[in-house]
Amino acid sequence: MEPHKGIVKVEGTARPPDPARLAGVIRDLLSALGEDPEREGLQRTPARVAEMLQEVLAGYWMDPADLINGAIFEVEDNDLVLVRDIEFYSMCEHHLLPFYGRAHVAYIPNGRIIGLSKIPRVVELFARRLQVQERMTRQIADFLEVVLHPQGVAVIVEAAHLCAMMRGVRKSHARMVTQALTGIFRTDPRHRNELLAHLRRPPEKL
Ligand code: ZN
């Protein structure tokens, strides 16, 4: 059973991995690097890394149906909903190194909203897996599109990529920005401009 496959297309399996198998692979990796996996500092490393991977990649085994159950509400006012500065951590699928930053998620309802606390969970669902930033941005937008049928969704993601920072040109301050717009955010510049005006303001200190 892969319940999320019915909601929006995502990669991977719904089954959590076998921790012993993961630990074995990490032990082999350490040996291939010329290390001694039995030396004191590394003895528990394979088990730790296996546990860590299951946590940072937990999006693969989250059930999206759990996210929406009981969290969709009918509304009469269809005003802009914006959750900005959602901190996220993901893993670049090309280099298996983290990329991390902030996501801003907005939509204009069409009679349905999702509980506010669920939006950061939707970001986690797609961040906690092997990813590329462009696809993650699009998947968050598609998910809200499918679940809410809103008038429009806008997702803007700003991130720093360790694979760019640690390797090659080392432009460590480079940030990548991606966006996915649907519906009236795409067709009506007034809605787009209203959103951008919100995002231009620095976050309020609360
Ligand atoms: Zn990378």
Side-chain angles (χ1 to χ4, degrees):
M1 266 300 284
E2 294 170 290
H4 50 289
K5 293 280 161 96
I7 295 169
V8 64
K9 194 181 170 306
V10 287
E11 316 57 40
T13 160
R15 269 189 306 280
D18 171 6
R21 184 177 167 200
L22 270 182
V25 172
I26 301 301
R27 202 170 292 115
D28 286 348
L29 174 68
L30 291 171
S31 297
L33 290 170
E35 269 286 3
D36 170 13
E38 299 307 322
R39 75 174 170 83
E40 204 189 334
L42 292 179
Q43 272 173 18
R44 293 245 325 119
T45 298
R48 271 193 219 101
V49 174
E51 202 177 310
M52 177 272 294
L53 286 174
Q54 292 190 72
E55 187 180 342
V56 303
L57 301 177
Y60 282 125
W61 313 293
M62 277 169 74
D63 180 356
D66 281 350
L67 269 183
I68 15 185
N69 282 343
I72 308 284
F73 308 99
E74 309 284 318
V75 287
E76 289 183 2
D77 295 321
N78 290 311
D79 293 321
L80 173 74
V81 177
L82 165 63
V83 184
R84 58 179 289 179
D85 296 300
I86 302 166
E87 187 180 313
F88 76 89
Y89 295 87
S90 187
M91 287 279 257
C92 155
E93 71 181 18
H94 299 142
H95 301 99
L96 304 187
L97 283 172
F99 65 96
Y100 61 95
R102 277 149 200 270
H104 314 294
V105 177
Y107 65 97
I108 297 179
N110 192 10
R112 303 176 88 187
I113 57 166
I114 185 166
L116 214 55
S117 66
K118 301 294 180 174
I119 290 183
R121 307 268 339 265
V122 174
V123 172
E124 286 216 317
L125 170 69
F126 295 108
R128 291 186 173 232
R129 55 182 69 229
L130 300 182
Q131 266 293 13
V132 296
Q133 186 180 330
E134 296 89 332
R135 186 176 65 223
M136 180 183 102
T137 308
R138 171 53 59 183
Q139 285 176 331
I140 296 166
D142 286 349
F143 184 88
L144 292 172
E145 188 70 40
V146 168
V147 166
L148 296 176
H149 305 294
Q151 298 180 63
V153 181
V155 179
I156 297 171
V157 176
E158 305 173 50
H161 291 247
L162 284 194
C163 59
M165 294 157 74
M166 294 173 73
R167 316 162 45 247
V169 286
R170 295 191 196 172
K171 289 201 185 333
S172 59
H173 296 293
R175 297 288 180 273
M176 180 157 138
V177 181
T178 48
Q179 64 171 25
L181 305 178
T182 73
I184 54 178
F185 283 114
R186 180 174 281 285
T187 56
D188 187 340
R190 280 175 309 168
H191 290 290
R192 215 159 47 227
N193 292 338
E194 184 193 11
L195 174 65
L196 292 176
H198 280 296
L199 291 179
R200 261 193 298 272
R201 290 207 314 267
E204 306 272 346
K205 282 227 170 67
L206 301 175

